[in-house]
Amino acid sequence: MRYATNFTVIMCHMWWVRNITSKINRILMRMEVAAEKNVKVIEEGSAKIKTAGNVFYNPVQEFNRDLSVLVLQTFSKTFERSNLSILEALSATGLRSIRYAKEIEAVEKIVANDISIKAVQDIKVNIDENGVSDIVQANQSDATMFMYENRRKQFDAIDLDPYGCPSIFLDGAVQAVKDGGLLLVTATDMAVLAGNSPETCYAKYGSVSLKTRSCHEMALRILLQSIESHANRYGRYIQPLLSISADFYVRVFVRVFSGAQKCKYTTSKLSMVYHCTGCDSTNLQPLGILKKNDKKNNHQVKFALPTGPFTASVCLNCKHPLHMGGPIWSAPLHDKEFIRNLLDGASDKLGTFERIWGVLNVIGEELEDSPLYYTLEKLAGTLHCETPPLLAIRSAIMNAGYRVSATHMHKTSIKTDAPSNVVWDIMRCWCKDHPVSEKRQFEGSPAKNILSVEPNIKADFTILPDANPASRKNGYLRFQMNPQTHWGPGTRATAMVGEEKINKSKRNQGKRKREESVESTK
């Protein structure tokens, strides 16, 4: 009887185990089917990868990756860096590293690192399927710790493309890159860098951001200042090769060198910014200046402090108060010779070639020694006047004896070495021919204060051929496109702009003007 009872119990256990096992197998099969359905195959450049789950891929960033491939190719050729070793510190899918391996001739070794175990598993699969296991090595580690561990071994290039602020990675990066090596750094926290939260910007980047129309250039210059600050702590300094503002981020490509003596030049490359809250004019005050020792005639440089302040307590143009921000990088943003080399090496095999070609051509035309810029709509908006043609304003500045250029950061940008009083004198002259309504000039307003002063020059708006830059004449794709699907970093890219929202935006473009036109015909 006892044996029969034990047999019954055993059979019951076996039935229970079989039942549970069957349920688990069914769940696993459903999970496998779901996973297969969720897998996405992505082809970009020479790479073909698979992504699943929460591993993030942003198609809008193809321009970023294409440009990075071109920069690394040109870097290796220009500075004769054969057998490149590259660290992609925040790799996610491994797409960027795989493209580097397949599209850059000089590359010898790439470490595709990510802190996520799942991401690294996917990277390994993608490496094998793309046949680059001899070049690309997947690594699971905290990016900062991995860079600290490689301070002696070092890499020829380190790519940092984080979700948000890159500042926590900069200390390790400036130590883990070889002398003369390349740092590629992206920052996507544009609200912080563009002046929405100056106190947060100071906490993250060591600089106070300002809300100006030239906020995208401010963002680039704040990021460069931050990288330079981290490098200086270890007797190193940077040389920007290319700095771009695109879509929802800024990205810089800088070489890092060692030399404590050269670090002394840093103060002359940084400036505080005085920004007018009324007319948006800016004035820069350098942290340090260089003086040549002409008496000894031996080209020695003396480091000195500037005398100041460089501006009055209120704006001399509109009498409104000033905000102070910075410090920012006030030295050149780009290396013009390197830009020419990029253009020489650019290939139409890159998916975003047309945009790269246009942006690089505009950058090649930018003034190097004139930080920050005006925008046409802000100049006209401040005075409430009819907006002048862009070429007319550019010509007037050139006719007054100053240089002017656009910048790739804004469609109506005006970058010039003309003092702000000359720019406003030109606008005063424009308003004489295109009068502003007295109703718009209320007492104490920037418009009233500016237009109540007679111009010191007579502006000549005769259009000059050179006022129209070659990139504009040739119709290059020079500026960022309107927001599209995946516009934004990380999860924001999927939630920020959907297809329906884009279609709605397109339908509503010009709606107000169309309605006004209909009303006027009634």
Side-chain angles (χ1 to χ4, degrees):
M1 187 71 178
R2 186 180 62 185
Y3 293 113
T5 302
N6 288 343
F7 178 77
T8 302
V9 171
I10 291 171
M11 292 299 292
C12 287
H13 277 293
M14 289 178 66
W15 175 86
W16 181 81
V17 170
R18 284 197 300 270
N19 189 39
I20 293 298
T21 302
S22 177
K23 287 183 178 180
I24 291 173
N25 287 334
R26 286 198 298 271
I27 292 171
L28 289 174
M29 287 176 66
R30 284 198 296 268
M31 288 176 65
E32 287 177 5
V33 171
E36 287 178 3
K37 289 182 178 178
N38 198 32
V39 171
K40 295 179 181 178
V41 178
I42 296 163
E43 292 187 56
E44 184 182 292
S46 301
K48 183 177 181 179
I49 65 166
K50 294 179 180 178
T51 64
N54 294 322
V55 177
F56 181 67
Y57 165 77
N58 193 339
V60 172
Q61 290 276 49
E62 183 180 359
F63 172 74
N64 181 323
R65 290 183 284 268
D66 281 352
L67 185 60
S68 300
V69 168
L70 177 59
V71 168
L72 282 165
Q73 285 174 339
T74 308
F75 171 77
S76 65
K77 293 176 182 177
T78 302
F79 303 107
E80 298 180 352
R81 291 263 176 166
S82 57
N83 304 323
L84 276 178
S85 58
I86 302 172
L87 167 64
E88 187 190 1
L90 307 154
S91 194
T93 62
L95 171 62
R96 191 182 297 256
S97 290
I98 292 167
R99 287 196 60 185
Y100 288 168
K102 301 186 80 170
E103 298 176 36
I104 301 171
E105 295 176 3
V107 69
E108 182 180 58
K109 175 187 176 184
I110 301 172
V111 176
N113 179 76
D114 203 282
I115 197 170
S116 165
I117 295 175
K118 175 64 171 66
V120 173
Q121 290 172 347
D122 289 347
I123 291 170
K124 288 179 179 178
V125 171
N126 287 328
I127 288 171
D128 290 338
E129 292 193 356
N130 280 272
V132 291
S133 56
D134 57 327
I135 298 176
V136 186
Q137 168 194 336
N139 186 72
Q140 193 268 319
S141 179
D142 177 89
T144 54
M145 290 305 299
F146 186 73
M147 287 187 287
Y148 283 133
E149 290 167 357
N150 283 272
R151 286 175 295 175
R152 298 291 178 265
K153 189 176 182 181
Q154 298 184 322
F155 296 89
D156 291 292
I158 297 178
D159 195 326
L160 297 174
D161 195 354
Y163 170 65
C165 176
S167 61
I168 62 171
F169 306 106
L170 296 180
D171 194 73
V174 296
Q175 297 180 73
V177 67
K178 292 181 181 179
D179 191 32
L182 187 68
L183 274 187
L184 306 85
V185 184
T186 300
T188 62
D189 54 339
M190 290 301 292
V192 172
L193 286 166
N196 283 1
S197 184
E199 65 282 353
T200 304
C201 188
Y202 183 81
K204 290 184 174 183
Y205 293 95
S207 179
V208 174
S209 57
L210 294 169
K211 261 191 175 179
T212 76
R213 289 305 172 102
S214 56
C215 59
H216 292 99
E217 186 171 333
M218 276 283 291
L220 277 173
R221 293 184 180 279
I222 287 172
L223 177 56
L224 289 171
Q225 175 274 147
S226 184
I227 300 173
E228 175 82 347
S229 175
H230 282 278
N232 283 174
R233 295 166 198 169
Y234 304 100
R236 312 193 88 181
Y237 62 97
I238 67 170
Q239 177 199 352
L241 295 180
L242 173 65
S243 308
I244 66 160
S245 168
D247 303 327
F248 51 84
Y249 61 91
V250 290
R251 184 155 170 87
V252 297
F253 304 83
V254 302
R255 297 187 75 191
V256 180
F257 295 93
S258 300
Q261 176 65 22
K262 291 287 186 179
C263 291
K264 293 182 179 181
Y265 287 81
T266 293
T267 54
S268 64
K269 302 174 187 175
L270 305 178
S271 297
M272 302 303 293
V273 181
Y274 291 93
H275 170 240
C276 176
T277 57
C279 66
D280 204 50
S281 299
T282 55
N283 284 294
L284 271 62
Q285 177 167 328
L287 298 187
I289 56 175
L290 306 177
K291 292 183 177 179
K292 291 185 179 180
N293 195 339
D294 295 328
K295 291 182 179 179
K296 294 185 178 181
N297 197 27
N298 57 3
H299 303 292
Q300 285 186 347
V301 173
K302 182 180 179 181
F303 302 96
L305 295 175
T307 55
F310 273 48
T311 186
S313 57
V314 296
C315 177
L316 297 177
N317 300 302
C318 72
K319 312 305 178 188
H320 275 238
L322 305 172
H323 282 161
M324 184 178 73
I328 66 168
W329 179 269
S330 50
L333 293 173
H334 322 284
D335 183 316
K336 289 299 181 71
E337 184 178 349
F338 188 75
I339 301 300
R340 287 190 288 270
N341 291 342
L342 286 174
L343 287 167
D344 289 341
S347 167
D348 57 8
K349 293 180 180 179
L350 296 171
T352 59
F353 167 76
E354 286 188 13
R355 188 179 178 193
I356 288 175
W357 183 261
V359 168
L360 290 179
N361 271 278
V362 177
I363 288 174
E365 295 165 351
E366 289 180 10
L367 293 181
E368 298 180 84
D369 53 356
S370 299
L372 307 181
Y373 55 87
Y374 301 90
T375 63
L376 188 63
E377 60 270 20
K378 180 60 178 177
L379 290 174
T382 298
L383 301 181
H384 306 293
C385 69
E386 178 184 329
T387 304
L390 183 58
L391 293 186
I393 292 297
R394 288 172 60 100
S395 295
I397 293 173
M398 295 173 69
N399 284 326
Y402 297 96
R403 295 175 297 145
V404 65
S405 78
T407 168
H408 74 283
M409 302 174 215
H410 198 284
K411 288 184 179 180
T412 65
S413 56
I414 299 170
K415 184 181 277 288
T416 179
D417 59 352
S420 61
N421 63 294
V422 172
V423 174
W424 287 115
D425 271 352
I426 290 172
M427 291 303 298
R428 289 184 181 105
C429 293
W430 173 261
C431 290
K432 283 184 177 295
D433 296 330
H434 304 79
V436 178
S437 170
E438 288 294 331
K439 295 179 181 179
R440 311 302 298 272
Q441 300 182 50
F442 56 87
E443 199 61 37
S445 67
K448 180 69 173 179
N449 292 341
I450 291 172
L451 294 177
S452 62
V453 177
E454 284 295 313
N456 290 318
I457 65 171
K458 182 173 175 55
D460 180 1
F461 293 98
T462 305
I463 304 297
L464 298 175
D466 290 344
N468 194 16
S471 61
R472 189 171 183 268
K473 289 178 184 175
N474 295 328
Y476 294 150
L477 182 60
R478 301 178 298 154
F479 303 104
Q480 65 188 38
M481 296 163 281
N482 290 329
Q484 52 191 286
T485 306
H486 306 291
W487 187 274
T491 53
R492 186 165 178 258
T494 57
M496 175 71 175
V497 180
E499 291 291 345
E500 178 56 31
K501 188 171 181 180
I502 294 169
N503 293 333
K504 184 179 179 181
S505 176
K506 288 180 179 179
R507 290 196 302 269
N508 288 337
Q509 283 181 2
K511 181 179 178 181
R512 183 177 174 184
K513 289 184 178 180
R514 291 196 300 271
E515 289 174 349
E516 290 175 351
S517 177
V518 171
E519 287 294 325
S520 65
T521 58
K522 288 181 179 179

